[in-house]
Amino acid sequence: MIGAGTVGGGVYEIIMNRLGGGSNTNTTTPIITKICVRDANKQRDFSLDSTKTQVVTDVQSILNDDDINLVVEVAGGVTFAKDAVYESLKKGKSVVTANKALIAENLDELITLVDEANANNNKKSVKFGYEASVCGGIPIIHTLQSGYNGDIINEVQGICNGTTNYMLESPRLCFIV
């Protein structure tokens, strides 16, 4: 996993606590073996299981680890995070991201990288999950990709953010200028 802020901490707790974090003998149970952060000594807002998860400051230790087949990017931004996501895909690792800016600016390039990785990789299929970056994680991307196969969707409009909808609909938050 890359990033261990508020979102990263939540992802870590869900994977390691609710999903078993590798304590299950089932080989499909995910485990976060490494978290890349800027400052390894910084106090985190979540409990880290140091017997299962190593905190690193060099993203290459994740990218070059052949035992890691999925990278979760929750660092945000379009500099360091973009480089890490691009390199992960180029190395044949699947990626899941909640990075809105990355998706907004680079989705076409990312899809091309996934296609190239899969064309060069006979053994496994490289996936790119970005559902968490849209609508607060509401499964709208999957729904649009699989639920409307017979339809042609030209455009989706609307405010896809519950907080914004609440603010626009709430009469006590209206201001008269």
Side-chain angles (χ1 to χ4, degrees):
M1 186 165 78
I2 300 170
T6 302
V7 174
V11 169
Y12 184 84
E13 287 178 343
I14 288 170
I15 290 174
M16 299 301 285
N17 298 334
R18 292 190 208 161
L19 298 181
S23 62
N24 192 332
T25 58
N26 181 349
T27 58
T28 60
T29 302
I31 181 169
I32 298 175
T33 57
K34 292 181 183 176
I35 298 179
C36 182
V37 297
R38 290 184 191 118
D39 180 2
N41 296 320
K42 180 179 175 183
Q43 184 66 31
R44 306 285 167 210
D45 292 338
F46 59 96
S47 297
L48 187 83
D49 184 346
S50 61
T51 64
K52 295 180 182 175
T53 306
Q54 178 185 5
V55 176
V56 299
T57 57
D58 182 8
V59 73
Q60 292 302 319
S61 68
I62 291 174
L63 297 176
N64 294 327
D65 188 333
D66 292 335
D67 291 332
I68 295 175
N69 56 16
L70 172 69
V71 175
V72 177
E73 184 276 310
V74 287
V78 291
T79 53
F80 168 75
K82 177 184 173 184
D83 294 341
V85 168
Y86 276 45
E87 284 302 312
S88 296
L89 293 171
K90 288 177 185 176
K91 289 184 177 278
K93 297 180 187 294
S94 294
V95 174
V96 173
T97 184
N99 190 332
K100 294 170 182 60
L102 179 68
I103 298 304
E105 291 184 19
N106 304 289
L107 183 59
D108 290 339
E109 287 179 51
L110 289 162
I111 298 302
T112 299
L113 283 173
V114 171
D115 291 342
E116 289 171 358
N118 284 322
N120 297 328
N121 190 348
N122 298 342
K123 297 179 184 174
K124 60 184 176 180
S125 179
V126 175
K127 305 282 187 196
F128 180 64
Y130 56 97
E131 190 108 43
S133 69
V134 180
C135 292
I138 298 169
I140 191 68
I141 300 295
H142 177 72
T143 300
L144 290 171
Q145 290 174 334
S146 62
Y148 295 95
N149 289 339
D151 297 323
I152 297 171
I153 299 174
N154 295 317
E155 184 176 4
V156 176
Q157 286 188 352
I159 300 167
C160 297
N161 176 303
T163 304
T164 304
N165 285 347
Y166 173 78
M167 289 168 51
L168 293 174
E169 292 174 0
S170 177
R172 63 194 157 119
L173 294 176
C174 293
F175 298 100
I176 300 174
V177 181

